[in-house]
Amino acid sequence: MDGWPTTDVPELPGSGPRLSLYDTAQQAVRPTEPGDTARMYVCGITPYDATHLGHAATYLAFDLVQRVWRDAGHRVHYVQNVTDVDDPLLERAAHTGESWVGLAERETQLFREDMAALRVLPPDDYVGAVEAIPEITEAIAAMLEAGTAYRLDEDVYFPVDAAPGFGHESNYDRDTMLALFAERGGDPQRAGKRDPLDSVLWRGRRPSEPYWDTPLGPGRPGWHIECSVIALNRLGMRFDVQGGGSDLAFPHHEHSAAHAEALTGDEPFAQHYVHAGMIGLDGEKMSKSRGNLVLVSKLRAAGVDPMAIRLALLDGHYRDDREWTGGRLRAAEARLERWRAAVALPAAPPADELLTLVRDRLADDLDTPTALVAIDSWAASALDTADGVTDDAAPGLVADLVDALLGVDLR
Ligand code: ZN
């Protein structure tokens, strides 16, 4: 399916250092080691509700990954899916009486508009689950053939012992896995499974649910295999970064990796598993079920500058769970105003050291809070007319570096 419009990324002088990121699997910050083309897969939305700030924070984090890689001289192949058929979407549509297709199309379009407004660079391949059904069924058929999948009634399941490394991505013990599996859409109680942690690859036709006629029989794909196959068929195994929110570490990323590893007999699925923290409101995780969502589209409609939303989210470290507050947004608006005033000056203090510092901080597991403070210092001295040393190229360089590396348009 179509992504969203891209924005130009200014070229900066020289090139940035190698990006290191925290890898959930190895529980350490490690250098990424992409080839000429860095390969990244980030799990996309299930389009039943509009983009809230938790989504925005996740996609912004991986937007910075792409920007830092580009600045280090890599091309980037970025793939994202849309889970445009799955239980939460069907449940919402059944609840409101809307068609699930119409709901998915509308919310996907709103997501595109939010991402474009936030200047998130679009994926090269934006792939819906529905359009990927032929390739997903082909993979499941191959797994059945190889004995790394089994039929249970009209469904097909993945036996977790088919992937010897199962559990290596999230590092959770079995009790934690069982608890999270039950909490996050798994079916540990389903009778007849070989192991309670086995996950569904193919859900056979149910009354009043959409289905597709396929060589596996009528039905629809499971969520984890959707991402395995979409990533594998576009990026291959051992791609550089598998990303998403921290609530995807288990079961989603664990099972996606296990499916792909069982399917190919190769490992690892991804070199780094990278997870963004959750955004809370009033002390609670922002989620639909709690009814405390702050929507990007609502903020935009209220006249909030998307660049201020972007800066407000980048003011915290991507891996930290953090709170959204009105104060955070107002601080970001004030910061944006100061930065814009500074880059509008005819001359300002030299910014070469600032460029080096921002590059270094971002390359160190996307340390945006320190990078933002460094830009604040430069802007403060630029706006302090008592400071005599000026350079007429500096305002343009800072506007370019803030645009290229942070995605914030100051012009
Ligand atoms: Zn996914």
Side-chain angles (χ1 to χ4, degrees), residues 41-44 81 83 223-224 226-228 242-243 248 252-253 256:
Y41 184 90
V42 179
C43 293
N81 68 309
T83 303
W223 177 33
H224 316 311
E226 167 196 338
C227 284
S228 312
Q242 156 75 307
L248 297 191
H252 184 54
H253 286 170
S256 288

Side-chain angles (χ1 to χ4, degrees), residues 198-283:
D198 292 353
S199 61
V200 69
L201 295 168
W202 184 255
R203 181 175 162 85
R205 180 183 176 180
R206 301 288 198 281
S208 77
E209 285 187 8
Y211 66 93
W212 286 262
D213 281 315
T214 74
L216 294 173
R220 59 183 169 92
W223 177 33
H224 316 311
I225 189 70
E226 167 196 338
C227 284
S228 312
V229 171
I230 291 173
L232 197 54
N233 286 351
R234 287 156 189 80
L235 299 173
M237 287 295 280
R238 307 181 186 211
F239 61 89
D240 297 290
V241 165
Q242 156 75 307
S246 58
D247 53 349
L248 297 191
F250 192 89
H252 184 54
H253 286 170
E254 191 76 64
H255 274 276
S256 288
H259 296 349
E261 288 165 7
L263 185 60
T264 60
D266 189 14
E267 60 174 22
F269 181 48
Q271 307 281 356
H272 272 71
Y273 297 89
V274 180
H275 295 108
M278 299 286 113
I279 302 297
L281 186 71
D282 304 326

Side-chain angles (χ1 to χ4, degrees), residues 99-119:
S99 90
W100 65 272
V101 175
L103 174 62
E105 282 178 358
R106 191 183 72 236
E107 294 301 341
T108 303
Q109 182 53 28
L110 189 54
F111 176 73
R112 291 184 182 102
E113 289 164 14
D114 287 338
M115 290 296 104
L118 290 170
R119 300 179 92 239

